């Protein structure tokens, strides 16, 4: 049977050999000696130091975050002197840190049942080939210029064909404003109604009040919902009323013109109520300027 000491000696010899083998690579050697850690400690960590060295080299030859070869994208395995041991930490690289801070403004955008991708919509990517977009973009510029006035500018009721880019356009405006620190909610209206309804027993009031008061609101695809008395008179009506009274900018996208929306809002499973629909439309008219965007379908 081997004595403990023998085992230790064998292991120590092995450790020394594998460390020396690794140090045959001059750059690896320089990398580990530059850590200013005693050799007898370094030796115990050869394989993980090799990993750290690989990551260090990847960073030195970095061509951008998208092609990061490290085991955790945007992070680097770093050896840190811990006295008699070496600690290894995963640290975010400077490019990744910059990406995080560049994207910080996105926290100002709150999505309800919308695809996360929409947070990347930006003015600079809005198609300029289509002249129909130009008056809308001009309105956006005015909106931004006048946002800090005492009386806030009106929102937009943007209607038009399916896939023409209505949602994208409004999202690009909200993104620009998010960069200026303004909070907004982009709400896919038909689905929002379903989740709101499902939250009766839980955070209904919280959700409702949040949407009512958010500084910028988009009700996306209004008119595509199954309109009920509840959604029209208990949700849409009071939210719009509050926003109108308090002059809080509100946007809509819809496949329906405002007259078609009026018709759609007047009929629920409980019957026809033209007056209630008319009241909603009056509020939308107070809150917005109407714009049309008919264009080719941009959806793949
Ligand atoms: P709509 O709301 O009118 O139905 P969307 O805004 O959803 O249309 O746009 C349809 C598709 O085209 C989406 O996938 C959207 O991401 C894309 N899209 C629209 N406008 C642009 C744009 N300016 N740049 C890049 N993609 C766009
Ligand atoms: Mg849309």
């Amino acid at each position: 049977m081997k004595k403990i000491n023998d085992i230790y000696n064998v292991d120590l010899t092995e450790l020394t050999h594998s460390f020396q083998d690794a140090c045959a690579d001059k750059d690896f050697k320089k990398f580990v000696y530059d850590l200013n850690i005693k050799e007898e400690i370094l030796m115990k960590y050869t394989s993980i130091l090799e990993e750290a060295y690989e990551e260090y080299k990847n960073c030195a030859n970095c061509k951008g975050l998208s092609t990061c070869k490290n085991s955790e994208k945007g992070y680097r395995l770093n050896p840190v002197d811990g006295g008699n041991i070496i600690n290894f930490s995963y640290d975010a690289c400077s490019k990744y840190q910059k990406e995080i801070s560049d994207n910080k403004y996105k926290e100002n955008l709150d999505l309800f049942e919308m695809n996360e991708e929409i947070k990347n919509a930006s003015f600079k990517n809005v198609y300029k080939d289509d002249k129909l977009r130009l008056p809308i973009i001009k309105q956006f510029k005015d909106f931004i210029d006048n946002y800090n006035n005492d009386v806030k500018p009106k929102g937009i009721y943007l209607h038009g064909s399916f896939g023409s880019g209505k949602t994208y356009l409004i999202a690009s405006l909200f993104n620009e404003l998010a960069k200026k620190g303004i909070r907004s909610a982009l709400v896919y209206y038909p689905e929002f109604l379903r989740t709101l309804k499902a939250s009766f027993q839980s955070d209904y009031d919280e959700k409702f009040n949040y949407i009512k008061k958010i500084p910028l609101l988009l009700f996306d695809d209004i008119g595509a919902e199954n309109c009920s008395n509840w959604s029209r008179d208990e949700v849409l009506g009071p939210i719009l009323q509050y926003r109108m009274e308090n002059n809080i900018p509100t946007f809509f996208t819809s496949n329906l013109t405002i007259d078609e929306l009026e018709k759609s809002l007047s009929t629920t499973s409980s019957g026809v109520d033209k007056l209630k629909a008319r009241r909603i439309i009056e509020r939308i008219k107070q809150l917005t300027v109407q714009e049309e965007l008919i264009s080719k379908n941009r959806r793949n």
Side-chain angles (χ1 to χ4, degrees):
M1 207 170 80
K2 279 184 185 169
K3 287 189 208 149
I4 299 285
N5 230 6
D6 290 343
I7 296 168
Y8 181 70
N9 283 338
V10 169
D11 283 348
L12 195 61
T13 314
E14 266 175 23
L15 288 178
T16 313
H17 277 156
S18 61
F19 183 66
Q20 281 168 348
D21 285 350
C23 285
D25 178 339
K26 294 278 171 303
D27 293 330
F28 172 78
K29 189 171 178 184
K30 179 167 176 2
F31 171 74
V32 292
Y33 280 91
D34 280 354
L35 297 171
N36 286 324
I37 296 174
K38 281 189 245 152
E39 200 174 82
E40 69 248 38
I41 310 282
L42 287 174
M43 243 171 237
K44 297 182 188 166
Y45 296 90
T46 305
S47 67
I48 186 160
L49 283 169
E50 284 179 313
E51 265 176 56
Y53 172 59
E54 281 308 313
E55 299 217 332
Y56 161 80
K57 274 198 301 189
N58 289 339
C59 289
N61 298 318
C62 176
K63 301 250 182 325
L65 265 184
S66 59
T67 52
C68 175
K69 293 186 184 134
N70 287 353
S71 57
E72 285 287 330
K73 185 179 155 191
Y75 285 84
R76 202 186 111 191
L77 182 61
N78 267 327
V80 185
D81 187 2
N84 286 329
I85 55 166
I86 302 179
N87 295 313
F88 287 85
S89 63
Y90 274 100
D91 302 326
C93 71
S94 58
K95 288 197 176 99
Y96 190 49
Q97 281 179 16
K98 180 169 183 319
E99 185 176 281
I100 294 170
S101 72
D102 284 354
N103 284 316
K104 193 88 183 121
Y105 75 92
K106 289 184 181 168
E107 289 172 9
N108 288 326
L109 296 160
D110 215 343
L111 304 186
F112 285 76
E113 320 299 333
M114 308 258 299
N115 194 322
E116 200 62 23
E117 256 302 295
I118 204 73
K119 288 193 177 180
N120 296 323
S122 70
F123 267 10
K124 80 176 186 317
N125 291 330
V126 166
Y127 303 124
K128 308 279 190 320
D129 55 334
D130 191 341
K131 292 208 169 27
L132 284 168
R133 266 157 240 266
L134 300 180
I136 300 167
I137 292 169
K138 161 86 175 64
Q139 279 216 33
F140 284 177
K141 299 223 159 99
D142 291 346
F143 186 90
I144 293 177
D145 289 347
N146 296 323
Y147 185 79
N148 288 324
N149 292 356
D150 286 344
V151 178
K152 298 250 176 294
K154 285 187 175 193
I156 296 177
Y157 180 86
L158 185 56
H159 65 95
S161 54
F162 175 83
S164 57
K166 301 182 295 297
T167 305
Y168 189 97
L169 270 174
I170 309 276
S172 71
L173 171 68
F174 283 16
N175 275 5
E176 298 305 320
L177 289 158
K179 289 178 193 158
K180 297 178 188 293
I182 299 158
R183 286 189 309 111
S184 58
L186 294 100
V187 177
Y188 183 63
Y189 185 64
E191 195 57 40
F192 171 70
L193 288 176
R194 277 189 277 273
T195 48
L196 187 67
K197 200 168 199 171
S199 69
F200 263 135
Q201 307 286 339
S202 52
D203 58 349
Y204 183 94
D205 287 347
E206 208 178 298
K207 273 204 182 86
F208 185 86
N209 286 319
Y210 180 80
I211 294 301
K212 199 167 84 172
K213 295 179 178 172
I214 189 90
L216 279 178
L217 174 66
L218 166 64
F219 270 153
D220 191 43
D221 240 341
I222 191 167
E225 75 282 10
N226 274 331
C227 181
S228 67
N229 284 1
W230 167 76
S231 69
R232 183 190 58 205
D233 307 332
E234 309 292 328
V235 181
L236 192 57
I239 290 177
L240 299 188
Q241 181 69 24
Y242 182 88
R243 296 183 70 84
M244 198 180 78
E245 282 167 2
N246 293 284
N247 179 224
I248 320 177
T250 309
F251 291 71
F252 303 84
T253 69
S254 183
N255 291 329
L256 307 180
T257 64
I258 206 137
D259 292 340
E260 288 165 343
L261 181 69
E262 183 169 347
K263 240 182 242 145
S264 151
L265 288 173
S266 62
T267 312
T268 70
S269 55
S270 324
V272 176
D273 194 328
K274 288 190 177 164
L275 193 63
K276 288 204 167 122
R278 167 56 55 91
R279 277 208 209 113
I280 301 278
I281 296 300
E282 288 309 322
R283 287 172 201 157
I284 295 179
K285 284 183 176 167
Q286 276 282 323
L287 280 163
T288 62
V289 175
Q290 292 169 54
E291 287 288 346
E292 184 176 59
L293 183 66
I294 310 275
S295 180
K296 68 176 180 198
N297 184 355
R298 307 268 179 175
R299 292 187 195 195
N300 311 320

